[in-house]
Amino acid sequence: MKLKGKAWKYGDDVDTDVIIPARYLNTSDPAELAKHCMEDIDAEYAAKVSPGDFIVAGKNFGCGSSREHAPISIKASGASAVIARSFARIFYRNSFNMGLPIFEAPQAVDEIDKGDLLSVDMESGLLRNETKRKEYRIVPVPPFMQELVAAGGLLNYVSARRKGK
Amino acid sequence: MGMTLTEKILAKHAGRDRVEPGELILAKVDLALGNDVTSPIAIDAVRKLGVREVFDREKIALVPDHFAPNKDIKSAGQMKMMREFAREYGIVNYFEVGRMGIEHVLLPDEGLVVPGDLVIGADSHTCTYGALCAFSTGVGSTDLAAAMISGEVWLKVPSTLRIVLSGKPGKWVEGKDVILHIIGKIGVDGALYQAMEYAGDGLASLPMAWRFTISNMAIEAGAKNGIFPFDGATRAYADARAKRTFEIVTADKDAKYAAEMGVDLSALEPQVAFPHLPENTKPLSQVGNVPVDQVVVGSCTNGRIEDLRSAASVLRGRKVHDGVRMLIFPATQEIYLQAMREGLMEVFVTAGAAFSTPTCGPCLGGHMGVLAKGERAIATTNRNFVGRMGHPESEVYLANPAIAAASAVLGRIGSPDEIR
């Protein structure tokens, strides 16, 4: 699968409260959550993001709450993936469980600027900064996480196991 | 090679003799938890899969606490969805408003979490139960759905950071200061993907309430869990409350730790975390003049009876400053009643503070104490991210209950020693 879009760049420790503020957690409707995605860190994002765009950030992206509303709002906003130096563990888990692609690529993050055109080839694990004509290798995903993605997420995986018993 | 506390509990629940850091395991859960914000997504998933039965009706806990009592029509809908699911699926441990409490104080106090357990919860502060020498960690709603169906969870075995506590804490220093100090040292991702395991002779001066506070904020260092060894304090707490038999787990003498750090409790001052990360800590003496508009005492971090006693000891016979709103949230109905019996409620109300029914409300900017643009609060809660308690241009400072109470009297962040 190939992903392509422009970069929205943020710093370190982007927390779940700025990804989707708690005042909007009285619903889990993806379209509604998408309207407020990144609102407290970047009021422009939700209105101007184009389908396929990437969120690019520093270390510990998604720290804080366990709210799955965070990856849900990012996915529903149209972003194709998040690229970061590192991810907080619950956000990492949630993203795989609900099918939002996320990639660790520390060097690429340092060299990406806001608005750069990026592409990712998920099979070969290559990230290309089309604007700067540079290529990077994404940190490989553990085999189990690949299985989860292949099964179509955790619930399908669990469901298949259950029927097998 | 021996195993750490976390490795031992995980191995046991995976039906294995041993596990190694980095391994992915499938483990059985003793309890799976959800609240009114996270359960609806899980409930939707369970229903959509056509699953008519949960794995065990007694091993699931559903607690409406974030936006409870219903803060608006939408959250009332989420709460109704939980209630109907609990009834339909026969969930034994559903806690209605009036009988509920903040999940992470309620569940151990109700004896539903016991030493040696493996607990997952769709709430990041599920790591609180490590205080009981249990493994517990926060997950998402999809993980909760999977656990409700299968009784199992996938986990990566974390490596362990050992934290050796020594000495005795001085005046006004509490559990909150120990964990804020540690987070200040290692940073908000200082223990990312790791277990934090406490050890050392300093443990003897940490009451259970403080241990719950310390384990509660493991997530604020990026950790998977924060676990304490089983000792006399754990025994006394568990014997009084546990609803199941439990097994005592100990770390092996030759367990392998990824890193070790020491904390001298006698050298600690009360700590204050500045906006907008819990790692921005300063000792109280270096805070300077920081006026506050609101003071919050409560939450899963510091809403226990010991916390209310600490705040009341400072407030007794004093008044909340004219320019300050002080809000106090006992974490459970039991604590509420105890505060009433001990006369703490009278201390608070006489001082001019509001005393509320249990809720997570203001901690996450939900309701019952949301901040306006430009307002500043000091709170005994766990996070001070941008917009955490309300407007994105408001500020939250984190501290222990005694410092919060003193700040309410002073109208600025300060020590009980500054009050005449």
Side-chain angles (χ1 to χ4, degrees):
Chain A
M1 197 166 126
K2 284 198 172 59
L3 312 173
K4 196 166 184 176
K6 62 180 190 302
W8 292 80
K9 182 87 187 269
Y10 304 100
D12 290 339
D13 305 311
V14 172
D15 62 75
T16 50
D17 279 85
V18 295
I19 297 172
I20 183 72
R23 57 185 178 276
Y24 303 120
L25 299 185
N26 53 7
T27 177
S28 48
D29 174 33
E32 190 60 34
L33 293 170
K35 285 187 206 160
H36 305 290
C37 184
M38 308 300 277
E39 185 173 294
D40 283 0
I41 193 176
D42 181 355
E44 286 200 327
Y45 173 84
K48 297 196 174 163
V49 64
S50 305
D53 283 359
F54 294 87
I55 288 177
V56 179
K59 70 173 178 73
N60 203 27
F61 184 89
C63 64
S65 154
S66 69
R67 61 188 71 156
E68 213 156 294
H69 312 66
I72 290 173
S73 72
I74 292 174
K75 196 177 181 192
S77 77
S80 62
V82 183
I83 301 166
R85 290 187 69 88
S86 63
F87 291 92
R89 60 161 284 274
I90 306 178
F91 184 89
Y92 184 89
R93 242 188 125 84
N94 285 347
S95 298
F96 276 96
N97 284 345
M98 50 75 53
L100 171 72
I102 57 173
F103 308 110
E104 289 182 351
Q107 197 202 338
V109 163
D110 291 346
E111 297 174 3
I112 292 170
D113 290 308
K114 187 182 175 186
D116 283 359
L117 185 66
L118 311 177
S119 67
V120 171
D121 182 330
M122 290 174 71
E123 276 71 44
S124 65
L126 278 183
L127 159 64
R128 243 183 97 73
N129 186 331
E130 310 279 357
T131 305
K132 297 203 164 73
R133 297 172 183 280
K134 282 197 155 185
E135 226 170 45
Y136 310 88
R137 195 149 283 284
I138 295 161
V139 177
V141 174
F144 167 70
M145 309 305 278
Q146 290 176 22
E147 267 179 62
L148 271 190
V149 175
L154 181 67
L155 288 173
N156 288 333
Y157 184 88
V158 168
S159 185
R161 267 179 62 94
R162 199 162 168 268
K163 281 177 191 138
K165 269 178 194 168
Chain B
M1 186 61 74
M3 288 190 286
T4 67
L5 278 175
T6 297
E7 287 158 14
K8 275 210 171 162
I9 295 173
L10 292 182
K12 191 180 139 209
H13 286 80
R16 301 256 300 265
D17 290 333
R18 58 174 301 110
V19 293
E20 307 267 357
E23 273 186 278
L24 282 155
I25 58 162
L26 185 60
K28 291 203 180 319
V29 303
D30 296 302
L31 190 72
L33 154 78
N35 60 48
D36 53 297
V37 165
T38 58
S39 299
I41 296 174
I43 290 169
D44 240 356
V46 170
R47 289 194 189 275
K48 273 192 188 131
L49 283 176
V51 174
R52 305 301 312 152
E53 258 184 359
V54 294
F55 85 103
D56 187 329
R57 296 188 300 119
E58 295 188 15
K59 291 187 178 174
I60 292 165
L62 295 177
V63 187
D65 57 1
H66 278 55
F67 297 153
N70 302 348
K71 80 154 177 144
D72 55 22
I73 294 169
K74 279 185 180 172
S75 53
Q78 299 202 125
M79 240 84 68
K80 185 164 179 254
M81 184 179 175
M82 260 178 108
R83 186 177 301 119
E84 287 173 353
F85 176 82
R87 203 173 291 148
E88 197 180 322
Y89 283 72
I91 306 297
V92 177
N93 297 303
Y94 168 76
F95 294 89
E96 191 55 89
V97 169
R99 281 86 87 190
M100 53 68 95
I102 296 174
E103 51 201 27
H104 307 308
V105 181
L106 181 74
L107 299 184
D109 273 7
E110 289 289 321
L112 294 173
V113 181
V114 301
D117 270 3
L118 188 154
V119 179
I120 59 148
D123 187 278
S124 61
H125 292 108
T126 303
C127 51
T128 308
Y129 322 133
L132 277 176
C133 194
F135 173 88
S136 62
T137 194
V139 297
S141 299
T142 302
D143 280 307
L144 171 64
M148 286 201 290
I149 296 167
S150 69
E152 293 173 325
V153 63
W154 278 101
L155 294 167
K156 185 164 139 189
V157 179
S159 65
T160 299
L161 165 65
R162 187 168 186 252
I163 301 169
V164 182
L165 308 174
S166 62
K168 282 191 177 140
K171 203 177 171 194
W172 308 124
V173 172
E174 302 184 10
K176 184 64 159 286
D177 306 298
V178 177
I179 188 64
L180 283 178
H181 168 79
I182 292 168
I183 297 164
K185 282 247 168 216
I186 67 176
V188 291
D189 63 347
L192 191 60
Y193 293 100
Q194 287 189 304
M196 298 166 86
E197 181 178 313
Y198 295 91
D201 57 19
L203 288 173
S205 41
L206 298 189
M208 282 311 293
W210 292 15
R211 297 183 193 188
F212 280 118
T213 304
I214 292 170
S215 290
N216 173 270
M217 289 187 72
I219 177 71
E220 263 55 71
K224 189 166 211 155
N225 64 317
I227 192 165
F228 280 84
F230 187 97
D231 65 8
T234 335
R235 161 75 70 193
Y237 182 93
D239 280 350
R241 297 188 176 264
K243 291 223 169 79
R244 287 180 277 124
T245 55
F246 56 87
E247 212 173 290
I248 299 165
V249 179
T250 51
D252 290 324
K253 290 234 168 1
D254 59 345
K256 197 178 165 201
Y257 294 91
E260 184 170 311
M261 70 179 283
V263 177
D264 178 3
L265 301 176
S266 66
L268 278 190
E269 247 192 83
Q271 305 283 309
V272 176
F274 278 51
H276 289 286
L277 284 175
E279 71 184 24
N280 296 337
T281 56
K282 284 186 189 180
L284 183 62
S285 61
Q286 291 173 30
V287 164
N289 183 31
V290 182
V292 293
D293 303 292
Q294 178 166 297
V295 176
V296 175
V297 173
S299 82
C300 57
T301 312
N302 281 121
R304 296 179 180 80
I305 191 68
E306 292 83 351
D307 300 315
L308 300 191
R309 285 178 191 143
S310 170
S313 76
V314 174
L315 279 182
R316 189 165 281 116
R318 300 196 167 101
K319 293 283 184 197
V320 171
H321 191 276
D322 278 349
V324 174
R325 316 179 295 268
M326 186 179 197
L327 315 172
I328 295 165
F329 298 85
T332 65
Q333 291 292 86
E334 181 190 326
I335 295 167
Y336 189 104
L337 206 53
Q338 183 68 19
M340 203 159 85
R341 288 182 179 135
E342 290 184 18
L344 308 182
M345 202 169 153
E346 192 169 346
V347 172
F348 296 134
V349 175
T350 310
F355 193 80
S356 164
T357 196
T359 180
C360 304
C363 172
L364 73 162
H367 62 151
M368 300 288 288
V370 174
L371 298 176
K373 181 176 179 176
E375 285 193 322
R376 184 183 290 139
I378 184 166
T380 67
T381 56
N382 41 56
R383 289 189 179 131
N384 54 354
F385 298 152
V386 169
R388 175 70 181 181
M389 200 173 270
H391 195 280
E393 286 169 47
S394 61
E395 288 185 345
V396 179
Y397 291 67
L398 306 174
N400 79 35
I403 303 309
S407 306
V409 175
L410 293 164
R412 60 172 172 81
I413 299 176
S415 162
D417 291 333
E418 297 177 61
I419 306 173
R420 285 169 227 290

